[in-house]
Amino acid sequence: MSESLLVTGGAGFIGVNFVYYWLNKYPNDKVVVLDALTYAGNLSSLDGVQSNPNFTFVQGNILDQALVESILKEQGITKLVHFAAESHVDRSISGPDAFIETNVLGTHSLLKAAKNVWLTGDGLEHRFHHVSTDEVYGTLEPSDPPFSETTSYAPNSPYSASKAASDHLVRSYLHTYGLQVSTSNCSNNYGPYHFPEKLIPLVITNILREKPLPVYGDGQQIRDWLYVDDHARGIDLVLQRGLVGESYNIGGINEWANIDIVKLVCQIMTKKFADNLKLHEQFPEARSVIAGNPEALIEFVTDRPGHDRRYAIDPAKANAELGYQPLETFDSGIEKTIDWYLSQENWWKALLKV
Ligand SMILES: NC(=O)c1ccc[n+]([C@@H]2O[C@H](COP(=O)([O-])OP(=O)(O)OC[C@H]3O[C@@H](n4cnc5c(N)ncnc54)[C@H](O)[C@@H]3O)[C@@H](O)[C@H]2O)c1
């Protein structure tokens, strides 16, 4: 049976990749994207689906409850996949208000809309799937076991605190009102369409523009990196096989220190530039990588306040209950990602002017 999905934040990094994943795998489903097109949303990222009759884009805010209710009713939405958020930790430190507004109040507004439209006693199955982060669990010591679904929440930044609050609200709407919800908490994603303020696209695009590669503190902060399509597949599995009311941790079993990621990107790009002289013409500014030494651009900068040292996900539950495991290797995923940025100069250059 075909489904109608409402994807909030579907013009952002993971949302866009999810929309392509979904319409490719389920071409008969309808997908409606609701996105406010903040600085992080980019309509051109959806160019590849705009002419698909099963795709609709609505520009709007998740805080607009009346708009969401009308979409749920008029489009016969059966599944809501909620990505829309303020997502950059640094911005949450300099301006936390927008994070509380979108991530907490916005999620609550969506929950109210789903409750009003879906809980009408018609007995139909619906699903409100909330996309969250491993950052809600706080930070790990080097020898600690990775986060599981039973790890206590201990968020340390306004971003992670706002996501934690939204996770609790989602849970409460099942237990209080019976809304059919699920949540996934995922580790750091990377891949195409990633806004160039985040570590991996920042390093790639700064090498191409001969800009410094800023590394916080000692660069030993550890993250568990997952290729974005593996995240989309994980959410798909939760929607198909996951139980209502459950949370699932989705991760890459792929821990890397930030400084090692920066050096890895430098190495791969050095090889690409050495093997392909056309890149020298395409990116004449990129003097350090052309000279074979982009690491010269690395600059250690003052650490982010409250910077978590380590995140790592234990995906055992998703593996056992959903059959989830990451498919992309880090070698192939990072290579694909760098190739994407090398071929999509117009996409990322337009964003750097925002
Ligand atoms: N990027 C990661 O590594 C990662 C990891 C785990 C979980 N997550 C979660 O996944 C989700 C998506 O992350 P992302 O990296 O794609 O974020 P993003 O910042 O790239 O995209 C967010 C999207 O939401 C839209 N948006 C923001 N506020 C809105 C509002 N009030 N109404 C409607 N739309 C609004 C933006 O325009 C943008 O298109 C977030 O909820 C984030 O917390 C991200």
Side-chain angles (χ1 to χ4, degrees), residues 125-154:
E125 280 208 8
H126 298 102
R127 181 68 73 86
F128 185 114
H129 182 73
H130 177 54
V131 180
S132 192
T133 166
D134 59 356
E135 301 194 27
V136 297
Y137 299 118
T139 188
L140 292 168
E141 294 299 327
S143 58
D144 285 342
F147 302 128
S148 77
E149 290 78 359
T150 54
T151 304
S152 300
Y153 275 32

Side-chain angles (χ1 to χ4, degrees), residues 8-16 34-42 60-63 82-88 101-103 106 130-135 159 163 184-190 193-195 197-198 225 231:
T8 70
F13 163 47
I14 306 175
V16 163
L34 173 65
D35 197 295
L37 296 181
T38 68
Y39 81 94
N42 188 351
N61 198 308
I62 56 169
L63 280 149
H82 175 33
F83 292 96
E86 289 293 334
S87 70
H88 190 39
E101 198 163 307
T102 289
N103 301 0
H130 177 54
V131 180
S132 192
T133 166
D134 59 356
E135 301 194 27
Y159 165 65
K163 293 297 290 187
S184 48
N185 294 85
C186 189
S187 59
N188 277 45
N189 286 214
Y190 69 97
Y193 301 105
H194 206 180
F195 196 87
E197 67 185 353
K198 305 279 173 79
W225 290 92
H231 187 183

Side-chain angles (χ1 to χ4, degrees), residues 35-276:
D35 197 295
L37 296 181
T38 68
Y39 81 94
N42 188 351
L43 197 50
S44 75
S45 302
L46 291 165
D47 280 352
V49 285
Q50 288 289 3
S51 62
N52 183 331
N54 285 338
F55 175 78
T56 308
F57 179 80
V58 179
Q59 182 169 1
N61 198 308
I62 56 169
L63 280 149
D64 186 343
Q65 191 183 331
L67 172 66
V68 175
E69 288 189 19
S70 74
I71 296 172
L72 293 177
K73 279 186 216 148
E74 283 160 25
Q75 304 279 351
I77 301 294
T78 47
K79 289 179 164 55
L80 188 162
V81 188
H82 175 33
F83 292 96
E86 289 293 334
S87 70
H88 190 39
V89 177
D90 286 349
R91 288 178 189 255
S92 85
I93 294 168
S94 56
D97 290 359
F99 287 71
I100 305 306
E101 198 163 307
T102 289
N103 301 0
V104 184
L105 300 179
T107 300
H108 189 229
S109 180
L110 283 178
L111 287 163
K112 286 190 289 179
K115 169 178 169 282
N116 284 354
V117 176
W118 284 349
L119 297 186
T120 53
D122 60 8
L124 289 179
E125 280 208 8
H126 298 102
R127 181 68 73 86
F128 185 114
H129 182 73
H130 177 54
V131 180
S132 192
T133 166
D134 59 356
E135 301 194 27
V136 297
Y137 299 118
T139 188
L140 292 168
E141 294 299 327
S143 58
D144 285 342
F147 302 128
S148 77
E149 290 78 359
T150 54
T151 304
S152 300
Y153 275 32
N156 289 322
S157 71
Y159 165 65
S160 53
S162 67
K163 293 297 290 187
S166 65
D167 293 9
H168 293 318
L169 283 167
V170 169
R171 177 188 156 86
S172 78
Y173 266 64
L174 166 69
H175 291 275
T176 306
Y177 304 110
L179 192 68
Q180 296 164 56
V181 304
S182 51
T183 297
S184 48
N185 294 85
C186 189
S187 59
N188 277 45
N189 286 214
Y190 69 97
Y193 301 105
H194 206 180
F195 196 87
E197 67 185 353
K198 305 279 173 79
L199 182 68
I200 290 178
L202 178 83
V203 171
I204 299 169
T205 56
N206 278 11
I207 289 174
L208 296 175
R209 295 182 304 143
E210 193 66 13
K211 302 267 185 216
L213 308 180
V215 175
Y216 280 130
D218 61 4
Q220 292 302 325
Q221 306 84 2
I222 292 174
R223 303 291 180 258
D224 176 358
W225 290 92
L226 181 73
Y227 191 65
V228 64
D229 279 356
D230 276 327
H231 187 183
R233 215 166 33 77
I235 295 170
D236 181 9
L237 286 169
V238 176
L239 290 171
Q240 308 300 338
R241 301 183 194 160
L243 298 178
V244 166
E246 291 293 316
S247 293
Y248 295 91
N249 281 357
I250 298 176
I253 320 171
N254 182 38
E255 291 182 49
W256 282 77
N258 283 351
I259 183 67
D260 295 333
I261 293 265
V262 174
K263 289 184 175 167
L264 178 71
V265 173
C266 286
Q267 281 161 21
I268 299 174
M269 291 195 50
T270 301
K271 178 157 185 344
K272 287 196 180 292
F273 271 73
D275 291 349
N276 181 359

